[in-house]
């Protein structure tokens, strides 16, 4: 009985392999048949220079940013529009009101006993890993850790090895000077490690997750006896959420809500999006990253030529069919 079952599974897998190969061949033939060589746009004799390419890209970005009018949508019937007026006005008024604070108040001001940062014992390098929210939370943790161990914090390095391959630096995402100035009474922050210490030996440490002040004051601060530089290999979930001194918790909040401010270009883009929603309606579709998976699994063909868009459609169809067949094969097992 078991042999018969495995024989059936083997036959199904062979059939799937042939089917997938046939689908791939059909898709490739479809792409080449739809776009014969005579119809493909000829390449220019001379490739654009880097300056010309940058100018073209900047022009496209500027034209998008300066476009103020939203797409024209078909108007609803007059009767329906009249019925919606009262409810819509009430909804919009409610939408743009400040959210209720539920008796919560800001708690970022330091206590009277809080003192300026003590003399630095060394430098703390930080690799902020994960997505934007994870990196943001990790940076706030590392600001507090730098205060606990009397370290000078070097501007954190953002994750460049994750799925989306984002090459942004800290200053591309956040207002670097504002970050440094906002924390001057809490932690010494510098943009780069001093040149004379560039080749110095570093203590690379994976800080233990969810650790309290005792861990950093005893185990981590002890590294200053041998090293001038401590490198935190990761920043996420390194500091305990509870049972920390109130001034350390408040420092985390100051770092998050006051020091970490987005770069001016991002602030301007956010303001533009909010202004559009206020002017034209409460809804807007926004994808924060233009990633490979977004291109593969959505219908977006932004910045692609018609030929590339059709080829992507064929590839996407292959992927969907392949996924379906694999799912069916697993169900047979």
């Amino acid at each position: 009985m078991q042999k018969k079952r495995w024989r059936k599974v083997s036959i199904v897998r062979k059939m799937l392999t042939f089917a997938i190969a046939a689908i791939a061949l059909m898709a490739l033939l479809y792409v080449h048949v739809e776009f014969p060589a005579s119809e493909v746009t000829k390449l220019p004799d001379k490739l654009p220079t880097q300056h010309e390419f940058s100018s073209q890209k900047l022009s496209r970005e500027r034209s998008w940013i300066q476009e103020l009018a939203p797409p024209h949508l078909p108007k609803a019937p007059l009767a329906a529009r009249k019925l919606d007026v009262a409810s819509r006005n009430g909804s919009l008024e409610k939408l743009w009101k400040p959210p209720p604070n539920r008796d919560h108040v800001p708690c970022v001001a330091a206590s009277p006993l809080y003192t300026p940062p003590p003399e630095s014992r060394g430098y703390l390098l930080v690799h902020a890993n994960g997505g934007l929210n994870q990196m943001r939370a990790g940076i706030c943790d590392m600001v507090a850790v730098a205060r606990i161990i009397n370290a000078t914090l070097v501007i954190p390095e953002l994750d460049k090895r994750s799925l989306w391959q984002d090459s942004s630096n800290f200053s591309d995402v956040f207002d670097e000077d504002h970050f440094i100035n906002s924390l001057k009474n809490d932690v010494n922050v510098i943009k780069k490690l001093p040149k004379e210490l560039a080749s110095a030996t570093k203590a690379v440490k994976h800080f233990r997750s969810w650790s309290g002040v005792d861990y950093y004051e005893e185990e981590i601060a002890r590294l200053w006896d041998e090293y001038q530089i401590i490198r935190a290999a990761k920043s996420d979930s390194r500091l305990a959420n509870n049972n920390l001194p109130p001034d350390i918790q408040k420092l985390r909040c100051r770092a998050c809500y006051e020091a970490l401010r987005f770069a001016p270009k991002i602030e301007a883009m956010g303001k533009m999006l909010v202004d559009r929603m206020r002017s034209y309606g409460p809804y807007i579709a926004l994808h924060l990253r233009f990633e490979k998976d977004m291109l593969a699994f959505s219908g977006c063909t932004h910045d692609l030529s018609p030929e590339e868009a059709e080829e992507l459609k064929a590839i996407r169809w292959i992927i969907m069919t392949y996924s379906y067949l694999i799912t069916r094969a697993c169900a047979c097992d």
Side-chain angles (χ1 to χ4, degrees):
M1 188 69 181
Q2 187 72 11
K3 289 183 178 179
K4 288 183 179 180
R5 184 173 179 274
W6 281 109
R7 191 178 297 118
K8 289 181 180 179
V9 172
S10 177
I11 292 172
V12 170
R13 286 178 175 168
K14 288 180 180 179
M15 291 174 64
L16 284 174
T17 302
F18 286 121
I20 291 167
I23 290 169
L25 182 61
M26 289 171 60
L28 290 173
L29 289 173
Y30 168 77
V31 171
H32 288 288
V33 169
E34 282 291 306
F35 304 104
S38 60
E39 296 182 8
V40 176
T41 305
K42 293 182 179 180
L43 292 173
D45 295 331
K46 182 181 178 183
L47 294 174
T49 65
Q50 182 65 31
H51 175 71
E52 291 170 342
F53 179 79
S54 300
S55 299
Q56 292 171 6
K57 183 178 178 183
L58 180 62
S59 176
R60 286 199 302 270
E61 291 178 354
R62 189 177 293 140
S63 65
W64 185 88
I65 292 173
Q66 291 176 346
E67 181 235 338
L68 296 177
H72 292 287
L73 301 177
K75 292 184 178 180
L78 182 60
R81 291 205 303 273
K82 287 182 178 179
L83 288 174
D84 284 344
V85 169
S87 59
R88 184 183 177 191
N89 287 342
S91 299
L92 287 176
E93 184 181 353
K94 182 179 179 181
L95 176 67
W96 295 112
K97 282 185 175 180
N101 62 11
R102 298 176 184 176
D103 297 327
H104 295 294
V105 295
C107 187
V108 297
S111 71
L113 299 177
Y114 191 73
T115 60
E119 183 179 355
S120 173
R121 298 185 63 187
Y123 298 89
L124 176 63
L125 301 179
V126 175
H127 175 75
N129 60 298
L132 181 59
N133 288 334
Q134 193 174 356
M135 287 192 290
R136 188 184 182 97
I139 291 169
C140 297
D141 274 359
M142 292 299 103
V143 167
V145 168
R147 172 76 188 202
I148 295 169
I149 64 175
N150 297 343
T152 294
L153 177 67
V154 180
I155 287 291
E157 174 191 350
L158 302 189
D159 195 348
K160 295 180 174 62
R161 294 173 293 185
S162 48
L163 171 68
W164 40 83
Q165 298 292 304
D166 191 339
S167 60
S168 300
N169 294 316
F170 186 95
S171 58
D172 297 320
V173 180
F174 302 108
D175 189 329
E176 193 172 68
D177 291 328
H178 176 78
F179 181 75
I180 294 172
N181 293 329
S182 294
L183 295 172
K184 64 183 179 182
N185 294 323
D186 302 295
V187 176
N188 294 315
V189 184
I190 59 175
K191 294 184 179 182
K192 292 181 179 179
L193 198 66
K195 290 183 179 179
E196 62 271 18
L197 293 176
S199 58
T201 304
K202 304 173 181 65
V204 181
K205 188 75 174 176
H206 284 74
F207 295 161
R208 193 174 65 206
S209 297
W210 311 116
S211 299
V213 171
D214 291 345
Y215 167 77
Y216 289 100
E217 287 181 336
E218 297 169 8
E219 187 168 334
I220 301 302
R222 192 183 306 152
L223 295 171
W224 294 134
D225 296 337
E226 299 181 32
Y227 301 95
Q228 288 181 276
I229 305 168
I230 299 174
R231 180 177 179 84
K234 287 187 175 183
S235 64
D236 61 311
S237 307
R238 302 300 108 179
L239 195 59
N241 280 333
N242 300 311
N243 300 321
L244 291 176
D247 274 325
I248 295 298
Q249 289 285 25
K250 290 179 178 183
L251 174 55
R252 291 167 97 178
C253 291
R254 283 198 298 280
C256 184
Y257 299 113
E258 294 183 355
L260 275 177
R261 188 168 69 185
F262 284 116
K265 287 177 64 175
I266 298 177
E267 290 271 353
M269 179 66 71
K271 183 179 183 303
M272 185 191 72
L273 292 174
V274 172
D275 289 344
R276 285 189 174 188
M277 287 190 288
R278 282 180 178 273
S279 302
Y280 304 122
Y283 305 108
I284 191 167
L286 173 65
H287 197 291
L288 295 178
R289 294 180 186 273
F290 190 68
E291 302 168 359
K292 294 177 182 178
D293 58 344
M294 171 194 168
L295 192 62
F297 298 110
S298 72
C300 182
T301 56
H302 175 69
D303 250 6
L304 299 182
S305 67
E307 292 83 3
E308 291 169 334
E310 285 298 323
E311 187 170 355
L312 184 63
K313 186 196 300 182
I315 294 171
R316 192 180 294 118
W317 183 72
I318 294 172
I319 294 172
M320 292 172 61
T321 307
Y322 178 78
S323 299
Y324 171 75
L325 293 173
I326 290 297
T327 303
R328 292 297 300 271
C330 291
C332 291
D333 288 346

